[in-house]
């Protein structure tokens, strides 16, 4: 093995590890809801509101983090974000009232929210020929944080005797030890990132502006949407985000209530949706070779067909629905790194960070809106009409992407 070739990917490795830790912390909170309710004596609404605050701050950080990176460079923003998230994690160690915990969650949301938009731009500049592959690795490792987090929560909530003795010196419950680990690892990664990455970047890869450059204005970012092709692609991403997030929120209930599967079987199939995340390693690389739109159209078409299949095969049993869920995961996850690679290529270099931030804010807003819409439709008309709406949104994204491909 050529060690020098392996060394080319140290920037990718450090950036992806920070993203893994950010997703790990995010997905560690929902499994902790029950211990938090018991420990603090709060309601479902209280822990739900705290997590909503976390996600709202995360979403709101997309544009400002990208815009700041356009001015001061990606390395500073990613390092600062990792450091802020680590400090928020360490703050949870203190046995303070629930309101203080909620405040620490907001800090973590701000820190983790500063990463993804800026990381996409940094990796696209660092690996211009292999952007799709780099983003596929980055997003896959991040998604794996969501796979590991629930198991880690179980380990700290009900620790083995040796670990319990080690955690006994912490204030409050043993689960706080999880945030001691994430905080310490976050600070270590931030230090390694700022020490290693600047020296590995080629000229201009970090971005940032010269001293006499006032930088882009808000009008400059809004003017991006005067490009009809870019605006059309943003609609593709918004339609996809609505369909995907609405599906993720209600797929377990759909499988158990509309399809009649046992709860344990529904949850097992739900996990298969995320297990398919490894397709990102291949879809990003394939788009580097074949082009962005062929891969995006295929991925979106597969996801749309899978949602239609979920409705048509709802009474066909676990095996058929399992195949549908895997197909949905392959299509949905396969689209994501290619979307990021296309956006950084389509946006002007000077506006790449903030422009990507604007787009991510829009698509995350659509994703946040989707569960409320799906829930309302399901209450009124049932889950099948609700999933038909999601299938229509995914199909619209596939058709719009196909139109952009044909008119290239």
């Amino acid at each position: 093995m050529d060690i020098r070739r392996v060394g080319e990917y140290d920037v990718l490795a450090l950036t992806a590890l920070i993203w893994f830790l950010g997703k790990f912390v995010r997905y560690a909170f929902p499994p902790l809801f029950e211990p938090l309710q018991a420990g603090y004596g709060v309601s479902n609404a209280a822990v739900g509101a705290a997590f909503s605050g976390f996600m709202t701050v995360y979403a709101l950080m997309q544009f400002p983090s990208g815009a700041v990176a356009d001015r001061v460079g990606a390395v500073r923003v990613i390092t600062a974000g990792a450091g802020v998230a680590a400090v928020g994690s360490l703050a949870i160690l203190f046995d303070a009232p629930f309101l203080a915990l909620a405040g620490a969650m907001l800090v973590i949301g701000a820190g983790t929210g500063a990463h993804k938009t800026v990381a996409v731009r940094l990796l696209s500049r660092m690996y211009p020929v292999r952007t799709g592959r780099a983003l596929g690795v980055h997003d896959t490792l991040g998604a794996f944080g969501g796979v590991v987090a629930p198991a880690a929560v179980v380990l700290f909530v009900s620790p083995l005797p040796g670990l319990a003795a080690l955690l006994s010196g912490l204030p409050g419950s043993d689960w706080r030890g999880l945030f001691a680990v994430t905080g310490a690892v976050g600070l270590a990664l931030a230090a390694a990132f700022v020490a290693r990455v600047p020296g590995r970047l080629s000229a201009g890869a970090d971005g940032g502006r010269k001293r006499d450059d006032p930088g882009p204005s808000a009008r400059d970012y809004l003017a991006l949407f005067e490009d009809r092709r870019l605006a059309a692609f943003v609609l593709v991403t918004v339609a996809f985000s609505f369909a995907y997030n609405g599906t993720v929120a209600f797929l377990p209930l759909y499988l158990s209530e509309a399809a009649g599967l046992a709860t344990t079987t529904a949850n097992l199939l739900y996990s298969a949706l995320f297990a398919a995340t490894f397709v990102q390693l291949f879809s990003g690389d394939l788009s580097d070779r074949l082009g962005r739109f062929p891969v995006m159209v295929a991925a979106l078409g597969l996801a749309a067909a899978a949602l239609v299949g979920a409705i048509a095969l709802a009474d066909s049993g676990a095996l058929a629905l399992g195949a549908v869920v895997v197909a949905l995961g392959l299509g949905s996850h396969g689209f994501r790194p290619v979307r990021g690679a296309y956006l950084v290529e389509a946006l002007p270099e000077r506006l790449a960070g903030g422009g990507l931030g604007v787009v991510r804010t829009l698509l995350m807003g659509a994703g946040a809106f989707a569960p409320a819409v799906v829930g309302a439709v399901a209450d009124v008309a049932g889950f099948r009409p609700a999933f038909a709406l999601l299938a229509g949104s995914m199909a619209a994204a596939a058709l719009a992407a196909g139109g952009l491909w044909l008119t290239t």
Side-chain angles (χ1 to χ4, degrees):
M1 179 181 295
D2 189 341
I3 300 299
R4 290 175 298 178
R5 184 170 179 80
V6 174
E8 293 177 4
Y9 292 96
D10 53 355
V11 175
L12 172 59
L14 287 169
T15 307
L17 284 171
I18 292 174
W19 185 227
F20 166 86
L21 192 64
K23 295 293 283 287
F24 176 91
V25 174
R26 180 198 304 182
Y27 291 117
F29 281 112
L32 281 171
F33 281 179
E34 186 175 349
L36 291 177
Q37 287 177 284
Y40 286 99
V42 295
S43 64
N44 283 320
V47 293
F51 191 66
S52 291
F54 174 100
M55 293 303 299
T56 299
V57 173
Y58 175 89
L60 292 176
M61 284 298 298
Q62 303 304 304
F63 171 68
S65 64
V68 171
D70 285 336
R71 293 174 177 268
V72 305
V75 171
R76 292 181 181 179
V77 175
I78 291 176
T79 303
V84 168
V87 170
S89 291
L90 293 174
I92 293 178
L93 290 175
F94 297 98
D95 192 9
F98 181 76
L99 189 60
L101 172 68
M105 291 174 66
L106 296 181
V107 173
I108 298 172
T112 55
H115 181 85
K116 179 65 182 288
T117 295
V118 184
V120 169
R121 186 185 76 154
L122 175 67
L123 294 176
S124 69
R125 289 173 169 175
M126 182 67 188
Y127 308 101
V129 180
R130 301 182 295 275
T131 297
R133 177 190 297 177
L135 295 182
V137 172
H138 179 267
D139 287 356
T140 298
L141 193 56
F144 193 61
V147 176
V148 175
V153 168
V154 172
L155 181 64
F156 279 86
V157 170
S158 302
L160 298 173
L163 181 58
L166 185 63
L167 298 174
S168 61
L170 294 175
S173 304
D174 288 340
W175 58 261
R176 296 180 190 276
L178 179 67
F179 296 97
V181 174
T182 57
V185 173
L187 290 176
L189 285 175
F193 189 86
V194 75
R196 178 65 177 169
V197 172
R200 297 284 293 113
L201 299 179
S202 57
D206 186 38
R209 63 180 177 86
K210 298 178 180 179
R211 291 181 179 273
D212 58 350
D213 183 359
S217 65
R219 170 60 187 166
D220 293 326
Y221 291 116
L222 292 175
L224 290 171
F225 296 94
E226 295 175 1
D227 181 337
R228 291 184 178 180
R229 287 188 62 83
L230 179 61
F233 186 74
V234 171
L235 291 178
V236 171
T237 68
V238 168
F240 165 79
S241 183
F242 179 89
Y244 177 76
N245 284 277
T247 302
V248 167
F250 284 98
L251 183 59
L253 275 178
Y254 177 83
L255 293 173
S256 60
E257 295 189 10
L261 299 182
T263 301
T264 53
T265 304
N267 288 337
L268 181 62
L269 295 186
Y270 185 58
S271 67
L273 179 68
F274 298 100
T277 185
F278 291 100
V279 73
Q280 294 179 101
L281 296 172
F282 305 101
S283 64
D285 184 51
L286 192 63
S287 74
D288 290 337
R289 302 169 186 271
L290 301 181
R292 309 302 183 202
F293 277 115
V295 178
M296 284 193 286
V297 171
L300 290 170
L302 178 60
L307 282 171
V308 172
I311 301 167
L313 301 174
D315 299 322
S316 300
L319 186 61
L321 287 170
V324 165
V325 170
V326 170
L328 177 61
L330 292 173
S332 299
H333 291 297
F335 170 71
R336 298 166 84 173
V338 191
R339 172 188 64 190
Y342 176 80
L343 282 170
V344 294
E345 292 167 352
L347 294 167
E349 183 71 14
R350 180 169 175 265
L351 305 174
L356 185 59
V358 172
V359 175
R360 280 184 54 79
T361 299
L362 291 173
L363 67 91
M364 291 184 67
F369 184 59
V373 174
V374 174
V377 173
D379 285 342
V380 173
F383 271 112
R384 293 196 188 195
F387 269 62
L389 175 64
L390 297 174
S393 183
M394 190 72 80
L399 290 173
L404 287 171
W405 182 19
L406 294 176
T407 57
T408 299

